[in-house]
Amino acid sequence: MVDRLGLKVDVDTLEGMREGVPALLRLFERHDIRATFFLSFGPDQSGRAVFRLMRPGFLKKMMRTRAVEMYGWRAMLRGTLLPATWIAANSPSLVREIEAAGHEVGVHCWNHVLWQDHLPRLSRERVEEELRRAVDAYVDALGHPPHSCAAPAWMVTASSLEVQDSFALDYCSDVRGEAAFMPRMNGRTFRTPQIPTTLPTLDEVLGVEGVGREGFNDHLLTRMIRPSEVHTVHAEAEGRAYRDLLDELLTRLAERDRKVVPLSDLALSIRLEELPVHEVVVEAFPGRAGRLAQQGELSRDSARESQPA
Ligand SMILES: [Zn+2]
């Protein structure tokens, strides 16, 4: 089988939705590829990121990755000096346009900043409310329920995995890791398979160990060693100031016969009964200021016997 790259586009902000998404639709059409767009539906409070300057390591990362160039000033001030506005929930026709172009549309979240900054402190009911609102907005726009979800900022808890299970999704892409697996956390095994992001993101690589903008695609291509890889891009970055980089990457992938696909294509080749069970761990990650969810060790316990009723 031909080697594949699952392409995951996270849409975190209003600018990413309004400017990044249409530009990416044109880019993908030119390359004749399909991808998965995970949409934030609710308020854009990305400006709250300014307050994360207080967090150790964040300022360093902002400087290193030139966050203003990546996200733009408006996005950085949104929800602080500028009013918060709904993202995909306010653009149902654009959501339909993504699907009509042949791409997969999945749920990222309702409130990205809330999930990213507070998930471990949210009650199960609150987590359910967040996902319910996103799923309702999704159904309003597309007329059918979502088949997939990808947690903001690679943040999960046992509660969020449990809530995702209740939405009967085909798969989730919440974590960083090596290959598809069934997630286990806090002694429980969940029903929804995980298709992890396997490659580093642009902001994790830029400025690290001498890799600059020019070297990013080389770096990424040398990391593609498995038959199936998953790469995550952001509509606000690769859909705008870094679009030429993604354009070049797609050209080089075509030259190498690596087929770019939506994650739903990867999910189709999963045989659930054969998937290994892995722990999900939340730990520090190279190039990131905070901790994020990762595929941990292979679990010795069987997936099937410990599922919640
Ligand atoms: Zn995101």
Side-chain angles (χ1 to χ4, degrees):
M1 189 195 261
V2 62
D3 285 350
R4 295 182 297 178
L5 178 75
L7 186 58
K8 171 178 185 274
V9 181
D10 287 356
V11 181
D12 294 356
T13 64
L14 210 56
E15 276 75 16
M17 187 73 194
R18 288 180 181 168
E19 296 169 24
V21 168
L24 288 174
L25 290 179
R26 288 191 296 273
L27 180 69
F28 294 169
E29 187 181 5
R30 187 152 54 74
H31 284 273
D32 193 22
I33 60 147
R34 294 182 306 127
T36 303
F37 288 76
F38 287 106
L39 306 181
S40 302
F41 283 87
D44 181 347
Q45 298 180 319
S46 47
R48 298 274 170 91
V50 171
F51 294 117
R52 277 186 242 125
L53 287 171
M54 314 296 173
R55 193 184 280 180
F58 191 75
L59 182 60
K60 207 170 120 201
K61 191 181 152 192
M62 295 272 280
M63 311 271 281
R64 176 161 61 70
T65 60
R66 291 174 294 177
V68 176
E69 181 181 298
M70 205 172 275
Y71 298 107
W73 275 115
R74 266 183 303 158
M76 292 181 62
L77 297 177
R78 183 90 51 203
T80 56
L81 301 178
L82 297 170
T85 319
W86 287 354
I87 305 172
N90 268 3
S91 305
S93 59
L94 183 50
V95 177
R96 286 191 287 276
E97 219 177 290
I98 300 171
E99 191 172 75
H103 304 288
E104 179 189 16
V105 180
V107 166
H108 200 28
C109 58
W110 180 255
N111 184 334
H112 199 287
V113 170
L114 179 83
W115 188 287
Q116 180 167 357
D117 288 355
H118 301 292
L119 178 67
R121 291 178 290 282
L122 301 182
S123 67
R124 188 198 179 285
E125 290 67 32
R126 189 72 186 80
V127 173
E128 186 161 14
E129 191 188 320
E130 281 294 300
L131 269 182
R132 168 56 60 198
R133 290 192 79 176
V135 167
D136 286 350
Y138 181 105
V139 174
D140 280 348
L142 291 174
H144 64 81
H147 300 290
S148 57
C149 177
W154 293 282
M155 276 298 293
V156 307
T157 59
S159 290
S160 75
L161 294 175
E162 182 185 313
V163 169
Q164 284 173 337
D165 270 2
S166 72
F167 284 95
L169 303 163
D170 292 342
Y171 73 91
C172 287
S173 185
D174 300 326
V175 307
R176 310 297 289 267
E178 306 280 322
F181 69 98
M182 298 302 289
R184 185 173 169 83
M185 203 173 189
N186 292 0
R188 292 177 49 192
T189 303
F190 298 88
R191 280 191 293 264
T192 314
Q194 286 286 337
I195 300 182
T197 291
T198 61
L199 297 166
T201 59
L202 179 64
D203 56 329
E204 287 162 5
V205 172
L206 275 202
V208 178
E209 291 164 27
V211 181
R213 189 182 172 115
E214 312 73 34
F216 177 68
N217 284 335
D218 290 329
H219 180 83
L220 210 56
L221 288 163
T222 58
R223 294 278 298 260
M224 292 186 201
I225 49 174
R226 309 170 189 87
S228 288
E229 301 276 1
V230 175
H231 181 45
T232 298
V233 300
H234 285 86
E236 26 292 305
E238 283 93 338
R240 300 167 78 222
Y242 293 85
R243 194 162 61 241
D244 56 329
L245 265 189
L246 182 57
D247 192 357
E248 186 208 284
L249 179 68
L250 294 174
T251 301
R252 292 175 70 179
L253 287 166
E255 287 164 5
R256 286 160 188 239
D257 283 329
R258 192 176 270 271
K259 190 173 188 310
V260 178
V261 297
L263 272 58
S264 53
D265 274 24
L266 303 181
L268 278 178
S269 40
I270 286 177
R271 297 168 71 92
L272 276 185
E273 64 283 2
E274 289 172 10
L275 271 194
V277 178
H278 283 258
E279 297 290 336
V280 172
V281 295
V282 179
E283 289 174 355
F285 193 81
R288 293 247 156 222
R291 302 185 307 155
L292 49 85
Q294 298 163 56
Q295 179 176 6
E297 290 196 352
L298 192 65
S299 169
R300 276 175 299 245
D301 295 307
S302 139
R304 261 42 63 178
E305 66 191 11
S306 53
Q307 272 182 6

